[in-house]
């Protein structure tokens, strides 16, 4: 908004210069015109998305309009005596003849609308063909998110297939479209999260996960080569997710054995090694990457806490820590503290001295939000791996 009061007063004073009572100037100094505050409008849908929506909605709109017209024509309007006695001057201009001819056309119009709907449904469901690799690459270059989302829902395998020497994810990284790389990574995560436990045993799923892991490992190596390290932690996180809950359960069991051995078992080092085993050779030799180290530390701490609580559940009755909390900030820690408080009496009465000490160390070394997970895990390792132990 702009304050145009001085301009209005100036124009009015010129037009009314001859009047005895010229317009009085406003009291007080005029307000300053505020600076223009530019803003970017929301991005409009792509033409491809609009075309697909039109093909889907148009048949319904045609049928609805034809149905409305048909119902309106079937209702006979009231006729007065003058209308009944009067005769049309010419058959060519008779309203009755016009209505009849239009009604004769309606069945053909309805048939055309029905064919439009059938064609739209068949093209949308039955005869929809997976896009060619060049179409996927072109959509990435044009940032056509709507098209990629449709491919994700209809033909996920098209997003992981290799074309030439590049996958869609590598192509997005080559042209430095980080937003498109994030979209593809989100599609990978969505596919994994929608899998059920029995799906991991299917050969088709195993093959798809193998291709997906190959995509992620190649992306990690390429990102390190080109110094594109922003998504390294997300790549590793999705890579671990692709192993499913069975991997977390297996690693938790191994670390629980290390905890039973005390400091000699080096449980923190064992957990960190399990997380880093997913890293490629290049990632293991890469320079320090803060976001990656934070994720590794988060996952390491969560594995140790899950292992300790699984040992507790062998003695007392309680709920396990949810696996979907894994490496999600401090969710596992908060869930562990809540369960420790709930079962405090049973823990003090039934657990062994070593396990109670380890739980106390986890509670004290991992608390607080002012320190990073890296510093927490380093201090945790000094106590559980290198300390005197119990």
């Amino acid at each position: 908004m702009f304050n145009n009061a001085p301009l209005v007063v100036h124009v009015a004073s010129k037009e009314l210069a001859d009047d005895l009572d010229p317009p009085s100037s406003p009291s007080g100094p005029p307000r300053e015109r505020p600076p223009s505050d530019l803003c970017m409008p929301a991005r409009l849908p792509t033409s491809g998305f609009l075309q697909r929506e039109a093909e889907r909605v148009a048949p319904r709109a045609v049928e609805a309009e034809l149905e409305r017209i048909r119902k309106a024509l079937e209702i006979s309007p009231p006729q007065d005596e003058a209308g009944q006695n009067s005769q049309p001057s010419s058959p060519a201009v008779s309203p009755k003849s016009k209505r009849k001819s239009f009604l004769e056309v309606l069945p053909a119009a309805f048939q055309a609308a029905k064919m439009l709907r059938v064609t739209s449904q068949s093209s949308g469901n039955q005869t929809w063909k997976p896009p060619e690799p060049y179409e996927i690459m072109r959509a990435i270059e044009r940032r056509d998110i709507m098209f990629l989302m449709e491919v994700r829902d209809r033909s996920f395998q098209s997003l992981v297939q290799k074309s030439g020497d590049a996958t869609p994810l590598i192509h997005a990284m080559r042209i430095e479209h980080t937003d498109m790389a994030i979209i593809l990574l989100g599609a990978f995560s969505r596919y994994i999260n929608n899998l059920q436990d029995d799906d991991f045993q299917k050969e088709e799923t195993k093959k798809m996960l193998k291709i997906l892991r190959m995509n992620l490992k190649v992306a990690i190596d390429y990102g390190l080569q080109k110094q594109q390290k922003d998504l390294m932690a997300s790549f590793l996180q999705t890579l671990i997710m692709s192993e499913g809950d069975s991997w977390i359960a297996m690693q938790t069991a191994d670390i629980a054995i290390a905890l039973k051995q005390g400091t000699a078992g080096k449980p923190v080092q064992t957990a960190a090694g399990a997380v880093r085993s997913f890293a490629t050779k290049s990632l293991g030799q890469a320079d320090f990457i803060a976001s990656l180290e934070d994720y590794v530390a988060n996952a390491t701490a969560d594995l140790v806490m899950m292992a300790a609580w699984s040992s507790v559940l062998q003695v007392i009755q309680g709920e396990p820590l949810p696996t979907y909390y894994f490496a999600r900030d401090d969710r596992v820690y908060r869930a562990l503290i809540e369960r420790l408080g709930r079962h405090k009496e049973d823990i003090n009465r039934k657990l062994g001295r070593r396990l109670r000490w380890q739980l106390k160390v986890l509670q004290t070394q991992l608390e607080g939000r002012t320190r990073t997970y890296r510093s927490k895990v380093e201090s945790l390792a000094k106590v559980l791996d290198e300390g005197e132990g119990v």
Side-chain angles (χ1 to χ4, degrees), residues 188-240:
F188 295 173
S189 300
R190 180 178 181 273
Y191 172 80
I192 296 170
N193 289 332
N194 288 340
L195 293 176
Q196 303 298 325
D197 292 338
D198 54 347
D199 290 333
F200 284 90
Q201 307 303 323
K202 299 178 181 179
E203 290 299 325
E204 181 181 357
T205 305
K206 290 181 180 180
K207 182 179 179 181
M208 182 62 65
L209 289 175
K210 183 178 180 180
I211 299 174
L212 191 148
R213 295 186 192 111
M214 181 272 296
N215 273 254
L216 293 169
K217 290 183 178 181
V218 173
I220 289 175
D221 290 341
Y222 182 84
L224 292 173
Q225 180 184 356
K226 299 297 182 181
Q227 298 298 313
Q228 298 180 10
K229 302 178 181 180
D230 295 340
L231 298 178
M232 291 297 105
S234 299
F235 289 156
L236 183 58
Q237 180 182 16
T238 309
L239 199 56
I240 292 179

Side-chain angles (χ1 to χ4, degrees), residues 22 30 60 73-74 85 190 204 211 226-227 231 233 246 254 256 272 277 286 320 339 376:
R60 301 178 185 176
L73 291 175
E74 286 180 350
N85 298 330
R190 180 178 181 273
E204 181 181 357
I211 299 174
K226 299 297 182 181
Q227 298 298 313
L231 298 178
S246 60
D254 292 342
S277 65
R339 284 162 174 76
K376 291 179 181 179

Side-chain angles (χ1 to χ4, degrees), residues 52-155:
R52 291 190 294 271
E53 283 295 299
E55 293 175 355
R56 182 179 66 86
V57 176
R60 301 178 185 176
V62 171
E63 285 188 355
E65 181 65 16
L66 292 176
E67 181 69 16
R68 184 188 67 80
I69 296 174
R70 184 182 64 80
K71 290 182 178 180
L73 291 175
E74 286 180 350
I75 301 175
S76 300
Q79 296 180 353
D80 52 8
E81 296 180 359
Q84 292 177 355
N85 298 330
S86 61
Q87 298 293 332
S89 59
S90 173
V93 295
S94 170
K96 184 177 180 180
S97 63
K98 285 185 178 181
R99 185 172 64 189
K100 181 178 180 181
S101 61
F102 191 81
L103 288 173
E104 290 175 351
V105 175
L106 273 180
F110 273 105
Q111 184 66 23
K114 183 178 180 180
M115 293 178 62
L116 277 173
R117 167 166 286 188
V118 172
T119 303
S120 175
Q121 292 177 349
S122 62
S123 62
N125 298 324
Q126 299 177 1
T127 61
W128 191 88
K129 296 182 180 179
E132 296 293 332
Y134 77 89
E135 294 180 288
I136 301 293
M137 304 303 187
R138 183 177 60 188
I140 293 174
E141 294 169 0
R142 296 178 177 178
R143 288 187 166 92
D144 191 348
I145 298 177
M146 301 297 182
F147 178 77
L148 293 177
M149 293 299 96
E150 184 178 9
V151 176
R152 178 201 65 184
D153 297 336
R154 294 175 177 264
S155 179

Side-chain angles (χ1 to χ4, degrees), residues 307-362:
W309 185 247
S310 68
S311 300
V312 173
L313 294 181
Q314 295 178 1
V315 182
I316 69 173
Q317 296 291 330
E319 298 178 354
L321 295 173
T323 55
Y324 54 85
Y325 280 2
F326 179 73
R328 297 288 199 277
D329 297 327
D330 61 344
R331 294 186 185 181
V332 172
Y333 176 79
R334 287 188 280 112
L336 176 65
I337 297 302
E338 186 270 333
R339 284 162 174 76
L340 290 177
R342 190 194 311 169
H343 302 280
K344 183 177 181 180
E345 294 183 2
D346 290 339
I347 290 175
N348 293 332
R349 182 163 46 92
K350 298 181 179 181
L351 295 187
R353 182 185 175 191
R354 172 176 290 173
L355 184 54
R356 281 189 282 113
W357 171 76
Q358 290 171 337
L359 290 173
K360 184 64 176 179
V361 171
L362 288 171

